[in-house]
Amino acid sequence: MTIKPKAKKFRIRRNPASPDASPSDGAAAARPVPAPDANSSAGVASASARQQPQSDPGASQPAPGAKPLSGEVSSARETNLETDMDAIRQEGLTGRQLRMARRVAQKHNLPATSDFDAVRLLREKGIDPFKRANMLELVVPQNKAQPDNTPAAGQNVQLPQTIPAAKTNLPSTDLSPAERRQREISEIQRDIAARRRRKLALLMGRLAFFVMLPTLITGYFFYVVATPMYATKSEFLVLKADGAGAVSGLLSGTQFATSQDSIAVQGYLQSKGAMLRLDEEMGFKSHFTQDWIDPIQRLDPNPTNEQAYKVYKRNVKIGYDPTEGVVRMEVSAADPEVSAEFSRRLISYAQDEVNHLSEQKRSDQVSESEAALELAESKRREAQRHLVELQQDGMVLDPEGVILSLRSQINTFEVQLQQKELEQAALLDNTRPNRAKVAGVEADISRLKEVIARLNDRMTDASEGENSLANHRVQIQMAQADLATRDLMLQSALQQVESTRMEANRQVRYLTTAVAPVASEEPSYPRKFENTILAFLIFSGIYLLCSLTASILREQVSS
């Protein structure tokens, strides 16, 4: 006995190999078939077979009087699940999206039997299985590979495919979420590209107006308008005269010996006085007031000294190298011969200045030493004159010699007196002395005593009183000592004069021209390419600073 099932909807699985099988073959077609695995390809094929309803209206109900069919009947819940999964399959999900849904389902511990079941379970839980973690994942690459049995539908089917696409799909006006996202992303990218192109065009316009245009104007001036200037270079040294002595030989010819003089010459050549002297002799102002010189380098018809001095400093460049002691000079002019002549005149001015640097010092030193010599000579003359006067007043040229002579005479006579006294004592020792001899000896003794007394009186008279011989001797000795001192002072003054003259000769400076000025054949200024590049860098730096300042101010105001 066959019991009619109570399910509202049921399906009888038929053999797809023989869809037009006769009722006599129904029992064979309704044989129970074991349910395949959902993850296997057979399960997928059976699921796709179950999702397509039978189009034969006669197969839904058995014919009256026919033998009832037996087979597997699906419940209402299974039918709803298959209907939902059919809808999910027709969304055209890619294999990557299905794998992502399977991973999300596993993360939430959902019992999904397939990728489509994972999508269904996630949606029932209110979880979007395709939510991106960042904006970069919004761009989904299109898979343009289609299977052979897929018709050209409105949407592109991407590999890998889980089910074959239906052959009866019709194009739809509605876009899938993936295509809608792709279209929105494309619009955003096009908008960003257009905005970038607009900003780049504005940037190029600003650069062209604020950097390129001024650079072109500057380059035009240097290449077309600017007057070529011819530079003449020269070098000279300030040397010290060779002097005798170890110290002068040690410092002679070094930068330490003439550095101050070289710096002084450099300062003079860069002064307004040198410019006025050059204008008086060579017409410096008239050369730079000619009409064919460009307006920037040209002077007014009647320039002031200050205006001419500015041009002079710009065209006359002088530098001193302390390591080598060389003064380098570069003179620029609109004509090469005029430039060379300007350089020669400035070197001659430097020579005159070097000659006058130590002239005052040398003249002062020599004059002071000569004055000291004259004073020493006059003092010596006075001392010698006083000595002569003293000798003339005392009528004695050498009082000390006279006193010494008296002393020697007294000593001689005293010795003779002692000898006579000894002779008298010898005669008196006899019992019967010879009276004649004794009388003679006594007479000699008395005479010697008188002579000694007279000499002592003379000595005493010469040593006492203002006009005594001793006083006169002392005055003469003082005069002689003063004369000797004046002689020494005169000798030192003579040596000082000689040394001063030698030092003055050593202090003489000489200017030696190391590199003579030669007229140039090609203009040295302006340096067209270098100046143009420099102008470009300057304008670029100014624009960069202004743009950075404006950006910072804009950011501060907006914040």
Side-chain angles (χ1 to χ4, degrees):
M1 180 178 180
T2 302
I3 301 174
K4 184 178 181 181
K6 297 180 180 180
K8 296 181 179 180
K9 293 183 180 180
F10 61 93
R11 290 200 184 106
I12 299 174
R13 295 185 181 275
R14 300 180 181 274
N15 188 4
S18 58
D20 298 334
S22 61
S24 60
D25 298 335
R31 248 188 345 258
V33 180
D37 188 5
N39 296 327
S40 61
S41 59
V44 175
S46 63
S48 62
R50 288 197 303 269
Q51 75 175 356
Q52 296 179 359
Q54 296 296 332
S55 59
D56 189 3
S60 61
Q61 293 182 359
K67 187 177 180 180
L69 300 177
S70 64
E72 183 181 352
V73 179
S74 299
S75 64
R77 182 175 178 276
E78 292 179 353
T79 305
N80 293 332
L81 294 178
E82 290 181 359
T83 305
D84 296 339
M85 292 177 62
D86 291 339
I88 293 173
R89 287 190 184 94
Q90 292 185 6
E91 288 182 4
L93 300 179
T94 62
R96 184 173 180 274
Q97 291 175 336
L98 295 175
R99 290 192 298 272
M100 183 184 298
R102 173 64 69 87
R103 287 196 298 270
V104 175
Q106 291 177 357
K107 180 179 179 183
H108 290 82
N109 297 324
L110 297 178
T113 59
S114 64
D115 295 342
F116 298 102
D117 192 22
V119 174
R120 181 185 62 79
L121 292 176
L122 289 172
R123 289 180 179 176
E124 286 181 358
K125 292 291 185 178
I127 301 173
D128 188 3
F130 312 119
K131 185 177 180 180
R132 304 301 184 191
N134 49 34
M135 292 301 295
L136 295 177
E137 295 180 356
L138 291 174
V139 181
V140 180
Q142 297 181 0
N143 189 359
K144 300 185 180 300
Q146 298 181 0
D148 297 337
N149 57 354
T150 302
Q155 59 182 1
N156 295 327
V157 180
Q158 301 177 358
L159 294 178
Q161 293 293 321
T162 58
I163 58 173
K167 298 183 179 180
T168 58
N169 289 339
L170 297 177
S172 175
T173 57
D174 296 334
L175 298 176
S176 64
E179 290 183 350
R180 189 180 300 109
R181 285 194 301 271
Q182 183 67 24
R183 177 175 294 181
E184 291 175 357
I185 292 172
S186 300
E187 291 178 357
I188 293 173
Q189 291 177 348
R190 285 193 296 269
D191 183 48
I192 293 174
R195 188 160 55 250
R196 288 178 179 175
R197 287 194 296 269
R198 183 170 60 255
K199 289 185 178 181
L200 182 60
L202 293 175
L203 176 61
M204 295 304 296
R206 288 193 297 269
L207 289 176
F209 183 77
F210 291 106
V211 178
M212 300 305 298
L213 182 60
T215 303
L216 290 176
I217 294 174
T218 306
Y220 175 78
F221 172 79
F222 286 129
Y223 276 93
V224 179
V225 180
T227 302
M229 289 292 173
Y230 297 85
T232 301
K233 296 183 179 181
S234 58
E235 297 180 3
F236 56 88
L237 296 87
V238 179
L239 301 179
K240 186 178 180 181
D242 296 334
V247 177
S248 62
L250 179 63
L251 297 179
S252 178
T254 63
Q255 65 270 22
F256 303 103
T258 60
S259 60
Q260 296 180 351
D261 300 328
S262 301
I263 294 173
V265 170
Q266 177 186 4
Y268 171 74
L269 293 179
Q270 289 179 337
S271 65
K272 191 181 294 185
M275 186 270 295
L276 295 176
R277 186 176 177 183
L278 184 64
D279 181 54
E280 292 176 359
E281 297 183 3
M282 291 294 298
F284 178 80
K285 294 181 181 179
S286 61
H287 176 74
F288 284 94
T289 54
Q290 302 179 71
D291 297 335
W292 51 273
I293 298 179
D294 62 85
I296 294 181
Q297 303 183 82
R298 184 174 63 238
L299 286 172
D300 296 335
N302 294 318
T304 61
N305 291 334
E306 285 71 18
Q307 294 175 350
Y309 184 59
K310 290 181 180 178
V311 177
Y312 178 81
K313 289 193 299 182
R314 187 169 62 245
N315 291 278
V316 178
K317 300 176 183 178
I318 301 175
Y320 171 65
D321 188 358
T323 59
E324 300 177 358
V326 180
V327 180
R328 295 180 174 87
M329 182 174 61
E330 181 180 358
V331 182
S332 301
D335 185 81
E337 297 298 334
V338 174
S339 174
E341 187 62 27
F342 281 172
S343 182
R344 296 189 189 97
R345 290 302 178 93
L346 289 175
I347 291 176
S348 65
Y349 301 161
Q351 180 68 44
D352 297 339
E353 184 66 18
V354 167
N355 294 335
H356 291 86
L357 280 176
S358 59
E359 182 178 1
Q360 184 67 30
K361 182 179 179 180
R362 290 185 284 112
S363 62
D364 292 343
Q365 290 178 351
V366 172
S367 61
E368 289 177 0
S369 61
E370 290 178 352
L373 178 61
E374 291 178 359
L375 180 62
E377 289 178 350
S378 63
K379 293 294 183 180
R380 183 182 181 283
R381 291 193 193 97
E382 291 179 1
Q384 191 173 7
R385 188 183 301 110
H386 181 61
L387 178 61
V388 172
E389 290 176 355
L390 290 176
Q391 291 176 353
Q392 290 177 355
D393 292 341
M395 300 299 292
V396 178
L397 295 177
D398 190 5
E400 187 175 0
V402 173
I403 293 174
L404 292 175
S405 177
L406 290 175
R407 286 180 178 177
S408 64
Q409 290 178 11
I410 291 171
N411 291 331
T412 302
F413 288 133
E414 286 180 351
V415 170
Q416 291 179 4
L417 178 62
Q418 290 176 358
Q419 290 177 356
K420 292 297 182 181
E421 288 178 352
L422 291 174
E423 186 179 354
Q424 183 182 3
L427 291 174
L428 293 177
D429 288 339
N430 296 325
T431 57
R432 297 175 116 181
N434 189 353
R435 299 303 299 174
K437 290 183 180 180
V438 171
V441 172
E442 291 179 350
D444 291 336
I445 291 172
S446 62
R447 285 193 295 273
L448 288 174
K449 290 182 178 179
E450 291 178 357
V451 172
I452 291 172
R454 187 170 62 251
L455 290 175
N456 287 329
D457 293 338
R458 187 178 175 184
M459 179 71 73
T460 302
D461 294 338
S463 302
E464 295 179 356
E466 295 181 357
N467 295 324
S468 64
L469 186 61
N471 187 17
H472 190 64
R473 183 180 66 82
V474 171
Q475 292 180 358
I476 290 177
Q477 287 179 351
M478 292 176 62
Q480 289 177 350
D482 191 11
L483 181 61
T485 302
R486 294 301 173 183
D487 288 338
L488 292 176
M489 293 181 65
L490 179 60
Q491 184 178 1
S492 64
L494 287 172
Q495 292 179 356
Q496 182 68 25
V497 169
E498 293 298 328
S499 63
T500 302
R501 288 177 179 175
M502 294 175 63
E503 186 65 24
N505 292 330
R506 287 197 297 268
Q507 290 178 357
V508 176
R509 301 291 187 268
Y510 299 97
L511 189 144
T512 302
T513 304
V515 178
V518 179
S520 178
E521 296 182 356
E522 295 182 358
S524 302
Y525 300 99
R527 296 174 179 174
K528 304 174 183 179
F529 181 75
E530 291 83 351
N531 293 343
T532 304
I533 295 299
L534 179 61
F536 173 75
L537 295 177
I538 291 174
F539 291 131
S540 300
I542 293 173
Y543 174 77
L544 180 61
L545 292 177
C546 294
S547 61
L548 289 176
T549 304
S551 300
I552 293 172
L553 293 177
R554 190 184 304 113
E555 182 179 358
Q556 293 294 330
V557 171
S558 61
S559 60

